[in-house]
Amino acid sequence: MSLSEHPSEAGDLRLVLIGAPASGKGSQAKLLAKKPGVLHLSTGAVIRDHMRRNTALGEKCRETMNEARLVSDEIVMEVVASELGNHHGGYVLDGFPRTIKQAEMLEDWLDQRGSELSAVISLEVPKEDLEQRVLSRVVCLDCGHPFRLGGRVNSVNEACPECGGQLGQRADDTLEMFHQRYGEFEELTVPLIDYYRRQGLLQTVDGRQLPDEIFTKIENLLDLQPTRP
Ligand code: AMP
């Protein structure tokens, strides 16, 4: 719990969320993005959107995405630069960086703009829990909001509670794909946790709690004023 008297401004937030597939990064990023001036940037969601629209970038990533492998550091940095390039205000990076090389590229890019990250949060969830979450996860094909079967929705045939759109399962939410993605997380992304710890930026949060409880913890860690309902 922060002891400072004056909460930080959400618009100054320059946050990286690190976590394994289905650790809840997306849900927490969406909650943070309800604060004024905070952009939620999910590189996975941006690339999936390019694929849906059949853009050149989407086509470049399609094969790699379909095999649940990581797209190249250069492509993903291009995505981040184009999304953040004209944004003035706070942001939450969800799913980027995922490798040390990407973290270094981001650092250089921010440095050229006289900026730097303000915090990194690692959401920690045991692998067995993640497997269960992946198998019960559905997403809105229109707004991208994730849901758990048995939570706010009971079937993919229901309309999205957020926007009324169509629900579906992510193509990479199968057990086989999960193991592939988790392997990549362990090999390439876990080293980032130490990288940011050495920089004094890292905070860890137990991701097994309920989303609202995790969110309150994050608000406290970042010294942010609570979001009003
Ligand atoms: P996500 O929605 O974050 O689970 O990402 C879905 C897929 O998008 C990943 O399996 C990768 O193929 C691709 N992707 C998203 N972010 C990155 C990244 N930072 N580096 C490489 N590939 C990424």
Side-chain angles (χ1 to χ4, degrees):
M1 170 83 74
S2 161
L3 297 176
S4 90
E5 275 177 41
H6 302 290
S8 308
E9 291 290 330
D12 293 336
L13 191 64
R14 298 175 306 282
L15 176 71
V16 165
L17 278 179
I18 299 181
S23 57
K25 300 185 300 291
S27 303
Q28 293 303 317
K30 276 184 194 302
L31 289 170
L32 284 162
K34 288 188 176 168
K35 294 184 182 293
V38 178
L39 172 77
H40 169 199
L41 174 50
S42 156
T43 41
V46 173
I47 299 170
R48 280 190 291 277
D49 183 55
H50 275 273
M51 285 167 58
R52 257 194 303 274
R53 292 185 288 119
N54 301 315
T55 66
L57 190 138
E59 292 315 315
K60 255 197 265 180
C61 299
R62 193 177 297 280
E63 200 180 323
T64 318
M65 291 278 282
N66 287 344
E67 290 171 2
R69 290 182 291 114
L70 294 188
V71 306
S72 78
D73 295 330
E74 287 69 24
I75 290 182
V76 86
M77 186 63 229
E78 191 184 312
V79 166
V80 172
S82 81
E83 298 289 320
L84 277 191
N86 292 319
H87 173 71
H88 303 285
Y91 52 82
V92 183
L93 301 183
D94 157 15
F96 177 89
R98 260 172 153 104
T99 64
I100 299 238
K101 170 89 186 293
Q102 289 177 15
E104 289 169 349
M105 290 168 100
L106 174 65
E107 218 167 296
D108 286 349
W109 189 83
L110 289 173
D111 195 43
Q112 282 164 25
R113 283 154 185 80
S115 183
E116 59 186 6
L117 294 176
S118 59
V120 175
I121 288 183
S122 166
L123 275 179
E124 317 224 310
V125 183
K127 189 176 177 188
E128 310 76 69
D129 297 27
L130 296 170
E131 269 182 18
Q132 288 311 313
R133 288 189 189 185
V134 160
L135 295 179
S136 64
R137 176 161 70 179
V138 295
V139 292
C140 175
L141 302 178
D142 295 312
C143 73
H145 199 290
F147 301 96
R148 192 175 50 80
L149 288 175
R152 289 173 73 194
V153 301
N154 288 308
S155 133
V156 285
N157 299 323
E158 291 173 25
C160 169
E162 291 287 321
C163 75
Q166 195 194 334
L167 299 178
Q169 212 139 18
R170 267 174 57 167
D172 55 3
D173 273 350
T174 62
L175 214 45
E176 190 190 348
M177 294 280 204
F178 168 74
H179 286 293
Q180 155 75 26
R181 290 156 68 207
Y182 192 85
E184 249 170 353
F185 170 75
E186 276 190 314
E187 184 190 344
L188 299 169
T189 311
V190 167
L192 260 189
I193 297 176
D194 259 343
Y195 176 87
Y196 283 128
R197 186 177 284 121
R198 283 197 297 275
Q199 294 189 5
L201 284 170
L202 187 83
Q203 315 253 27
T204 57
V205 172
D206 182 350
R208 288 172 302 178
Q209 308 160 70
L210 292 171
D212 285 352
E213 293 169 351
I214 298 171
F215 187 55
T216 303
K217 185 97 186 275
I218 291 178
E219 285 182 321
N220 285 336
L221 282 174
L222 298 175
D223 199 17
L224 293 170
Q225 190 115 49
T227 304
R228 306 271 174 261

